[in-house]
Amino acid sequence: MDAPYSKLEQLEPGIARVLARNPSAFTYYGTQSYLIGMEEVAVIDPGPDLPAHIDALNEAIAGRPVAAIMCTHTHRDHSPAARPLAERTRAPIIGCVPLALETVGPRADASFDGDYVADRVLEDGGSMAVDGELVTAVATPGHTSNHLCFAYRGALFSGDHVMGWSTTVVVPPDGDMAAYIASLEKLRQRDDRIYYPAHGPAVTNPQQYVRHLVGHRMQREKQILGLVGQREREIPDIVANAYPALDPRLTIAAGGSVLAHLLDLERRGLVERRGEAWKAA
Ligand SMILES: [Zn+2]
């Protein structure tokens, strides 16, 4: 794939990006790690533990002091490089709370990085200085329960909460649709001028884009409610009807998203579960 792997891309003064070579159906061209600051820097979403990527980040840091290595959440494509990079740069890991789901059982999810440890956790609104400017955590649960966005000089590093190339995967047990939509609404109350997501291009019209994302989820919810209103249906049946022409690699994720909607609707008393099937209440 022709993408700027391991290259330092300067996006604006004090904000640069390095793309990791971990392309997939879920990561687009790969994870984008960001460097913020000039005299002093911080790294946002160091990415997967790939030696070439860590070398590229180290080269981009170019010997400058590193105030923090910050993770938006602990999916395996975001946080595993934090530890090796922290060891190389002697920087603290500051950001989201550690979260490791079980490897088996009802809360199993192999996409989490169970080795992540933070030196300091930022709560919603918590901040720290990087190169004389504040980086502020904006808690945005939904994609994962520990997801943070980071605001810096009018830009918002949106992780996987808002992405420039695709809608966000919201899959139970940790993904929560109601929390996700509430976190989108939270961003609508803000006036960030640009979003830099972990995957895909920057979002230069944040307000309009977030409104569109909320509308898309409302549309999907209505569609699912319509389908289970016709008759009792199981999730694969709902996916087949709601996502025609779906990339087969995304069938499981789409099923997870449908389940996230159904659990939210169930909580609101709008649908009922009957074994594997769902029906409008
Ligand atoms: Zn993620």
Side-chain angles (χ1 to χ4, degrees):
M1 235 187 298
D2 190 27
Y5 294 118
S6 299
K7 294 218 170 65
L8 180 65
E9 298 174 272
Q10 196 68 46
L11 303 171
E12 56 179 273
I15 298 182
R17 174 171 75 189
V18 180
L19 175 66
R21 193 182 287 273
N22 59 333
S24 78
F26 295 98
T27 60
Y28 196 45
Y29 287 102
T31 303
Q32 299 174 128
S33 301
Y34 291 94
L35 251 72
I36 60 172
M38 291 199 255
E39 307 280 308
E40 175 191 55
V41 296
V43 178
I44 295 179
D45 278 343
D49 186 2
L50 299 173
H53 184 58
I54 294 167
D55 285 347
L57 287 174
N58 206 42
E59 209 170 296
I61 291 164
R64 289 174 289 179
V66 182
I69 296 163
M70 314 184 81
C71 298
T72 58
H73 64 299
T74 45
H75 272 152
R76 286 187 181 284
D77 56 325
H78 289 256
S79 57
R83 182 56 48 195
L85 194 62
E87 279 165 10
R88 271 217 220 176
T89 60
R90 302 181 181 282
I93 298 172
I94 300 176
C96 69
V97 73
L99 175 71
L101 298 191
E102 295 157 20
T103 47
V104 291
R107 279 184 68 76
D109 189 332
S111 61
F112 278 88
D113 168 17
D115 297 326
Y116 171 83
V117 179
D119 296 299
R120 186 179 151 205
V121 165
L122 290 181
E123 309 284 345
D124 185 38
S127 62
M128 64 165 294
V130 176
D131 199 26
E133 302 259 6
L134 284 184
V135 187
T136 304
V138 182
T140 42
H143 171 64
T144 61
S145 59
N146 66 345
H147 196 288
L148 299 177
C149 294
F150 296 113
Y152 186 69
R153 295 177 40 197
L156 188 81
F157 296 86
S158 57
D160 283 2
H161 177 52
V162 174
M163 301 193 286
W165 74 291
S166 161
T167 54
T168 291
V169 171
V170 178
V171 173
D174 194 56
D176 183 306
M177 191 58 72
Y180 173 71
I181 293 170
S183 293
L184 287 178
E185 293 292 353
K186 184 174 186 174
L187 294 196
R188 282 177 68 176
Q189 310 303 316
R190 301 176 50 86
D191 57 355
D192 305 290
R193 69 184 153 79
I194 191 167
Y195 292 172
Y196 291 114
H199 310 281
V203 176
T204 53
N205 54 343
Q207 285 291 324
Q208 199 184 334
Y209 192 70
V210 169
R211 208 174 325 125
H212 158 81
L213 291 178
V214 173
H216 171 77
R217 298 292 171 161
M218 295 297 150
Q219 204 58 38
R220 184 68 80 203
E221 177 186 287
K222 221 166 110 189
Q223 191 183 21
I224 292 169
L225 212 41
L227 286 165
V228 298
Q230 292 166 352
R231 58 182 170 81
E232 210 173 271
R233 290 176 192 267
E234 296 190 5
I235 286 174
D237 178 21
I238 299 172
V239 170
N241 281 282
Y243 298 80
L246 179 69
D247 177 341
R249 294 174 300 173
L250 297 177
T251 307
I252 290 173
S257 234
V258 168
L259 175 61
H261 274 294
L262 288 167
L263 291 173
D264 179 29
L265 290 166
E266 185 185 40
R267 240 181 272 152
R268 288 151 55 198
L270 295 170
V271 302
E272 287 169 5
R273 193 199 306 231
R274 296 186 190 162
E276 291 294 295
W278 295 81
K279 180 93 182 67

